[in-house]
Amino acid sequence: MTIGSGDGRMASSDFLMQVKGYGLTTAEISYWMPDHPKLIQLFVWQTYDVAPGFPVLHRFLDHWRQEIEATLHSIRVAHQHLIQPAEWRAVDGVITIN
């Protein structure tokens, strides 16, 4: 999905979410099914979300608990802001170019 900027150019909704502070969130969900209680399975899920509250992830997990018969065992979360200020460091030294 793209959203117009008024001058004919389009910006993607993913880009606009990143500008608003959303970052890429990856959740590794360990769970087991009632018919196989000794077998832990993994599900990896990615979306844009806002750290540290993770409201999108919490909505997904609430849906999981209510609608899916699998029992959650553990959840590991990784989060990275894709748009962030550039890092700038002063370098102490002289570079000579011939």
Side-chain angles (χ1 to χ4, degrees):
M1 180 174 147
T2 54
I3 298 172
S5 60
D7 61 358
R9 293 182 291 170
M10 305 297 270
S12 74
S13 59
D14 290 343
F15 175 74
L16 294 175
M17 288 178 71
Q18 292 173 41
V19 170
K20 292 178 182 177
Y22 284 74
L24 185 63
T25 300
T26 304
E28 180 187 86
I29 301 168
S30 300
Y31 66 96
W32 63 83
M33 298 295 290
D35 52 346
H36 298 289
K38 295 183 181 180
L39 179 65
I40 291 183
Q41 300 181 48
L42 290 178
F43 179 75
V44 177
W45 184 70
Q46 280 190 325
T47 190
Y48 290 107
D49 208 347
V50 181
F54 300 108
V56 178
L57 176 60
H58 281 285
R59 278 195 306 271
F60 176 76
L61 294 175
D62 289 342
H63 170 77
W64 181 297
R65 289 181 192 108
Q66 294 171 5
E67 302 295 330
I68 300 175
E69 292 184 24
T71 303
L72 296 173
H73 174 269
S74 61
I75 301 157
R76 292 186 343 162
V77 178
H79 181 80
Q80 177 65 47
H81 286 285
L82 302 175
I83 297 178
Q84 54 192 354
E87 183 178 320
W88 184 86
R89 289 185 276 167
V91 177
D92 186 18
V94 177
I95 301 172
T96 330
I97 301 176
N98 293 348

